[in-house]
Structures are given as C-alpha cells and as structure tokens.
Amino acid sequence: MLSNQEKLLEFKKSIQRELEQQIAQIDKDIERYRQDQLREIEDEIVSDGYRYIQKSTAKIKLHYTTERSHAVADLRRELLLKRDEYVGLIFDEVKSQLLAFAESEDYPAFLRRKFTEAAESYRLQKPVVSVRERDLKYADVFRSVVPDAEVKASASILLGGFTAEKHGKAFILNETLDNILAEQREWFYSHSGLRITQF
C-alpha cells in the first residue's frame, strides 16, 4: 500500500500530466488559430494584390486603347491628306490637259458630236445651250445641229463643254468637261485603290 507521501506525489504527477496535456492542447489551439489567421491574412493580401493587378491592368489597357485610337486617327488623317494631295496633283494635270483640249482643233468636233448625240437622244427643240464665255465663238456648231438653239455664256463652266436645257422644261443635260472631271474624281476615289479603310 502507498503511503500518504507517495499518494501525494502520485497525485502531483497526475495533476502535472493533466496540466501538460492541457498546455499542449492550448498550444495546438493557439498554433491552429495562428495558422488560420495567417491564411486569412495571406488570402486577403492575395485578394488585394489581385484587385490591384486587375485595376492596374484595366488602367493600362484603357491608356493603350486611347493612345492607339489617337495614333490611328492621326495616321488616318495624314493618309487622307496625302491621298488628297496626290489626287489633287493628278486632277490638276487632267484639268490642264482638258483646258489644252478645249483650245485644240479637235474641240469643235467634240462639241458637235456630243451635241448631236444629245439632240438625237433627247429630241431637243429650241434648247438653251450654255457654254463658257470663250466658247461663244462655237455657237454655229450648235446651231448647225439644232437651228433654233439659243447659245449663251455661263460663268459656272470653266473647262469647256456645254449644258443644254429643253426650252420651257426643267430638264438639263450636263456635258461640261467640268462635270465629266467631277464624275471621274468620284470614280477615281472608288476604283483607284486609294480608299482609306479601317485598320
């Protein structure tokens, strides 16, 4: 049988073991709590970092898109100016050739042919024919095709050719070199390959 002293020692050891187990359990709980808190903080830091990256990426993307749009608009503007400059040079040359043609020996025959085609196609009677001031000298060309044609000068015709208006009607036939050149400019823009498309 155990003495009181031994029982006391045993009781003390038992309490000591119980305390150590409780301390170990508390240490485990504290470590688990600490790990949970660390995970939470890490998750929050990762989440904040992700949001920051997303926000920064969106800002960079917006800046890049804006810069690109401005650069594309500037480039498009430059290309349009350059294209218009080239087209202007081409059509200035064509215009000077048309003016030279309007001063050539072939010009009266051109007027006669075009006016004859118009007179036959539209059965012109007593037409009012408008020409540029310097082409009034060709009035007989028009009257040789339609004797009762009235020929007058028009300040709006610069290159040559004529317009014919049916007497008393709103119908006007435009066979001016000015009009032909303007129509060719539209055709040229559509078919020359100088169209500026979206890029």
Side-chain angles (χ1 to χ4, degrees):
M1 185 140 196
L2 296 174
S3 69
N4 281 342
Q5 191 71 2
E6 290 173 332
K7 283 181 185 178
L8 190 59
L9 189 61
E10 233 4 86
F11 181 67
K12 217 174 169 186
K13 282 182 184 176
S14 171
I15 290 174
Q16 187 68 31
R17 279 193 302 271
E18 184 67 32
L19 274 174
E20 285 175 2
Q21 284 177 350
Q22 285 181 359
I23 289 171
Q25 185 62 42
I26 289 170
D27 283 347
K28 268 185 181 175
D29 291 345
I30 289 172
E31 183 59 26
R32 190 173 331 131
Y33 177 77
R34 192 177 74 76
Q35 291 297 327
D36 289 346
Q37 289 300 308
L38 277 174
R39 259 193 304 279
E40 253 181 59
I41 291 170
E42 284 174 355
D43 289 348
E44 194 174 315
I45 290 171
V46 167
S47 184
D48 286 348
Y50 179 76
R51 278 193 299 274
Y52 176 77
I53 289 169
Q54 290 296 96
K55 189 176 176 183
S56 296
T57 302
K59 192 186 264 185
I60 290 168
K61 198 175 200 179
L62 177 64
H63 177 74
Y64 169 76
T65 302
T66 303
E67 289 297 312
R68 184 182 181 282
S69 293
H70 288 309
V72 166
D74 290 345
L75 179 59
R76 185 174 178 78
R77 205 171 8 264
E78 285 177 34
L79 287 172
L80 286 169
L81 288 171
K82 190 52 89 175
R83 179 200 63 185
D84 290 345
E85 180 184 333
Y86 287 142
V87 170
L89 290 171
I90 291 167
F91 277 84
D92 284 348
E93 178 60 28
V94 171
K95 186 176 176 180
S96 66
Q97 289 182 15
L98 286 172
L99 285 169
F101 170 70
E103 300 302 322
S104 73
E105 297 172 354
D106 298 328
Y107 182 60
F110 165 78
L111 292 175
R112 182 184 311 279
R113 180 173 55 79
K114 285 301 218 179
F115 190 64
T116 301
E117 289 171 6
E120 290 172 359
S121 294
Y122 298 102
R123 297 187 182 124
L124 296 177
Q125 295 175 355
K126 296 183 183 180
V128 177
V129 179
S130 298
V131 295
R132 63 186 181 150
E133 180 80 35
R134 65 187 309 135
D135 289 347
L136 284 174
K137 62 186 175 188
Y138 299 120
D140 289 343
V141 170
F142 297 102
R143 289 192 191 107
S144 69
V145 177
V146 180
D148 56 359
E150 177 189 340
V151 181
K152 66 178 190 172
S154 170
S156 65
I157 301 173
L158 304 175
L159 300 177
F162 63 91
T163 62
E165 183 179 343
K166 273 190 170 182
H167 187 67
K169 306 227 179 184
F171 172 80
I172 294 180
L173 173 68
N174 191 336
E175 288 290 345
T176 62
L177 297 178
D178 308 68
N179 186 53
I180 291 168
L181 184 63
E183 287 175 354
Q184 287 304 306
R185 185 179 287 263
E186 291 303 315
W187 180 91
F188 185 80
Y189 275 123
S190 297
H191 295 85
S192 66
L194 293 178
R195 178 173 286 163
I196 308 296
T197 57
Q198 193 65 29
F199 49 89

